[in-house]
Amino acid sequence: HNPLKDPGTLLPFAERMDLCRALTAGHPRMLVSGIEEQYGLGTTYNSLRFLRENFPRTDFVFLAGLDNALSFHRWHRWRDILQLTALAYVIRPPVAELARRTPLRRQAGPDFTPIRAASRVLLAPGRVYGLLEGPVQDLA
């Protein structure tokens, strides 16, 4: 329920959940959840707080496409979100240069880490990661 996106351009919630489940099938450490809908949490900040409070021993990573990185500085309590979880964005060519100029990238400063497919890094809250040249999957 991203308020920065036109609701008319989004697939219905159930279809987006089904697509996400299909994309994560075979990845036992990834779980698709509709907690925002189920508990009426409303914002990403509230959802992350809920997850951290209810699953304190779990490390979460916010994974999204570059379109979210471009508007992230407009999200509710976006600076607090940065402290609650690691953020990882798929940066697809030819927009890598655009990604370097986003307000989120400038905010992250030296805490921004580009990751290539073969990289292994410890994803930590307070850091922003760019997953370079990831596969394209449109879930609008």
Side-chain angles (χ1 to χ4, degrees):
H1 306 291
N2 185 338
L4 301 177
K5 290 186 178 183
D6 176 4
T9 64
L10 300 175
L11 291 174
F13 178 77
E15 280 185 56
R16 287 185 284 137
M17 291 290 290
D18 289 343
L19 285 169
C20 288
R21 285 188 183 103
L23 283 171
T24 58
H27 297 281
R29 296 179 69 182
M30 296 182 80
L31 172 70
V32 175
S33 168
I35 64 161
E36 288 181 336
E37 183 90 2
Q38 184 178 356
Y39 295 101
L41 298 170
T43 67
T44 299
Y45 172 76
N46 290 338
S47 297
L48 290 171
R49 285 204 41 200
F50 175 89
L51 289 170
R52 297 277 306 235
E53 289 168 6
N54 288 280
F55 304 95
R57 295 178 27 204
T58 302
D59 295 320
F60 294 98
V61 176
F62 183 90
L63 179 63
L66 182 65
D67 59 323
N68 285 308
L70 298 175
S71 64
F72 189 75
H73 64 287
R74 296 173 50 204
W75 288 30
H76 173 73
R77 298 188 72 168
W78 69 275
R79 286 186 175 92
D80 295 325
I81 292 170
L82 289 172
Q83 300 311 309
L84 288 173
T85 189
L87 278 73
Y89 290 96
V90 177
I91 301 172
R92 298 184 276 270
V95 295
E97 179 56 36
L98 182 59
R100 286 191 260 293
R101 296 188 309 236
T102 66
L104 175 60
R105 168 63 176 92
R106 289 194 306 269
Q107 168 69 24
D111 290 334
F112 176 83
T113 305
I115 302 173
R116 300 229 178 252
S119 298
R120 290 184 61 91
V121 297
L122 178 62
L123 302 176
R127 296 192 55 89
V128 177
Y129 303 87
L131 305 174
L132 302 178
E133 301 182 15
V136 175
Q137 179 68 43
D138 186 7
L139 295 182

